[in-house]
Amino acid sequence: QTQPAPKRLKNELKKPLGVLFDFGDTLLTHLFFNPEAGTDAVLKIAHNPKGYRVEDIHQRLEKINRDLIPRREQAQIEFHPHLVQRHVYEALHITFDRDPAAVERIFWRASMQWKPEPDVEKMLQILQSHTMPMGVVSNASFTGNTLWWEMERHNLSDYFRFLMSSADYWVRKPHPLLLETAAAKLDIEPSQVWYVGNSPQYDIAAAHNAGMGAIWYNRQDAPCDGPDPHVEVKNWQEFIGLFKQFIQS
């Protein structure tokens, strides 16, 4: 059987003047997501005059998502979580005496669990020792403030100049605008920035679309479901070796 031709790369990988990273399953491992626990925690601080239950909330949210998520993927846009909250809770006459950011954080804390990827802090320390500017760019239906809070919990936030969540920036990867804006925030040309992420479909495609170096962090040794990266690494030790090779050249 004839094998498909390899996907050709548009440009060569250059020495980085800055490095951007994906968030989930790149810097932090996603251990579990329990949306029912998150909604239960939110309802405990809500004014819920009609006595709606967790199941009612999720039924409404699933209806919204069935319509909006295909539109989101096709258009490569993101919906801000506080606007989605309004369509869920206001329609059910549920109100809060806290702002939407606080409600979001309560949901996140009750529903999510994360841990740092193996050797990620060692890798970040090495890049920091070379005064390498770094940022985080994530496709997420949560705000950057919530993702940053999670980074702070694991003592990783001090390595980065900023964190960008697609929820705050209207577009989502693989649209190039997120990464183009991130490169501008670093004040570095995109061609001199590496973007590192675990998803070929979103991260590697976005890096190519923005003209960046595309590094696939393939910790699960998964098949490639998107464009080819410039380089594939299976752990942060391999990435450290790659980085040193380019920095010393």
Side-chain angles (χ1 to χ4, degrees):
Q1 185 177 2
T2 304
Q3 295 295 319
K7 303 164 192 169
R8 301 187 65 181
L9 301 178
K10 295 180 180 179
N11 49 31
E12 297 295 326
L13 184 64
K14 297 180 180 180
K15 179 179 179 179
L17 298 184
V19 182
L20 298 168
F21 296 87
D22 180 40
F23 176 86
D25 292 327
T26 300
L27 296 172
L28 296 177
T29 307
H30 190 197
L31 299 178
F32 72 81
F33 176 47
N34 185 343
E36 290 79 11
T39 301
D40 183 63
V42 167
L43 286 180
K44 287 177 179 175
I45 56 97
H47 178 58
N48 183 10
K50 297 195 174 184
Y52 285 111
R53 301 167 301 169
V54 169
E55 299 80 29
D56 303 314
I57 306 300
H58 283 259
Q59 183 178 24
R60 171 126 184 111
L61 183 58
E62 287 168 9
K63 179 181 177 182
I64 292 171
N65 284 340
R66 279 195 301 270
D67 176 56
L68 293 187
I69 288 180
R71 299 173 188 269
R72 180 191 73 176
E73 293 298 314
Q74 182 179 11
Q76 298 177 15
I77 60 175
E78 193 71 82
F79 304 110
H80 197 283
H82 301 171
L83 299 181
V84 176
Q85 285 178 27
R86 295 189 69 174
H87 286 294
V88 173
Y89 293 116
E90 287 185 18
L92 300 178
H93 307 280
I94 294 172
T95 59
F96 302 92
D97 61 1
R98 311 181 194 199
D99 64 29
V103 175
E104 176 191 356
R105 187 73 53 82
I106 288 168
F107 179 90
W108 175 279
R109 293 180 63 174
S111 65
M112 296 278 195
Q113 188 169 338
W114 303 78
K115 71 175 182 180
E117 281 283 300
D119 294 320
V120 69
E121 189 159 16
K122 177 181 178 181
M123 177 274 296
L124 294 172
Q125 288 171 349
I126 289 172
L127 268 62
Q128 187 181 62
S129 72
H130 287 84
T131 63
M132 184 62 52
M134 293 181 280
V136 183
V137 184
S138 176
N139 274 0
S141 56
F142 294 89
T143 63
N145 286 339
T146 292
L147 301 187
W148 190 254
W149 175 84
E150 188 69 38
M151 295 281 286
E152 289 177 330
R153 288 188 63 226
H154 302 284
N155 300 313
L156 297 180
S157 59
D158 287 347
Y159 294 101
F160 299 101
R161 293 190 178 182
F162 57 82
L163 182 153
M164 293 171 56
S165 169
S166 58
D168 298 319
Y169 285 84
W170 185 60
V171 295
R172 59 189 273 110
K173 299 172 291 184
H175 197 288
L177 186 56
L178 268 180
L179 295 189
E180 290 170 355
T181 299
K185 286 165 70 71
L186 291 177
D187 200 20
I188 300 171
E189 288 297 316
S191 63
Q192 297 176 304
V193 175
W194 287 4
Y195 185 61
V196 190
N198 69 302
S199 169
Q201 185 179 7
Y202 295 106
D203 299 322
I204 302 309
H208 286 311
N209 290 341
M212 293 184 178
I215 313 298
W216 184 20
Y217 179 68
N218 186 17
R219 63 185 181 87
Q220 295 183 332
D221 198 21
C224 187
D225 63 352
D228 284 346
H230 286 102
V231 180
E232 174 185 345
V233 296
K234 291 187 167 59
N235 53 61
W236 287 121
Q237 290 291 351
E238 288 188 12
F239 179 82
I240 291 169
L242 174 71
F243 177 78
K244 288 182 175 180
Q245 172 189 338
F246 273 80
I247 289 300
Q248 294 167 3
S249 62

